[in-house]
């Protein structure tokens, strides 16, 4: 009775390491990569931000007028 339970517990622990830990580590990797991209977009230069707003506004106007 005890050995089958130990085997089942070992199988569940292996599944936990593979799936649950993999999902958590994968989510951390996604957030880390997204923040790396975000850091490149944040230059601190107001002219860059104003250009981004202008380009976005023009894109929105062109999309609405189509």
């Amino acid at each position: 009775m005890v050995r089958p339970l130990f085997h089942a517990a070992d199988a569940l622990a292996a599944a936990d390491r593979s799936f649950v830990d993999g999902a958590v580590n994968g989510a951390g990797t996604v957030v880390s990569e997204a923040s790396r991209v975000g850091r490149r977009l944040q230059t601190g230069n107001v002219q860059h931000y104003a250009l981004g707003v202008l380009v976005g506004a023009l894109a929105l106007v062109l999309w609405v007028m189509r």
Side-chain angles (χ1 to χ4, degrees):
M1 180 79 181
V2 173
R3 286 191 184 189
L5 289 175
F6 278 146
H7 290 301
D10 287 339
L12 288 174
D16 176 63
R17 282 189 296 273
S18 297
F19 296 114
V20 176
D21 291 348
V24 170
N25 292 338
T29 300
V30 167
V31 170
S32 178
E33 291 301 318
S35 67
R36 183 173 300 144
V37 171
R39 280 194 301 268
R40 288 184 188 160
L41 294 174
Q42 295 182 357
T43 63
N45 191 341
V46 176
Q47 289 86 357
H48 290 162
Y49 299 147
L51 179 62
V53 170
L54 179 64
V55 169
L58 287 174
L60 183 62
V61 167
L62 291 174
W63 181 73
V64 168
M65 292 180 63
R66 66 176 175 109

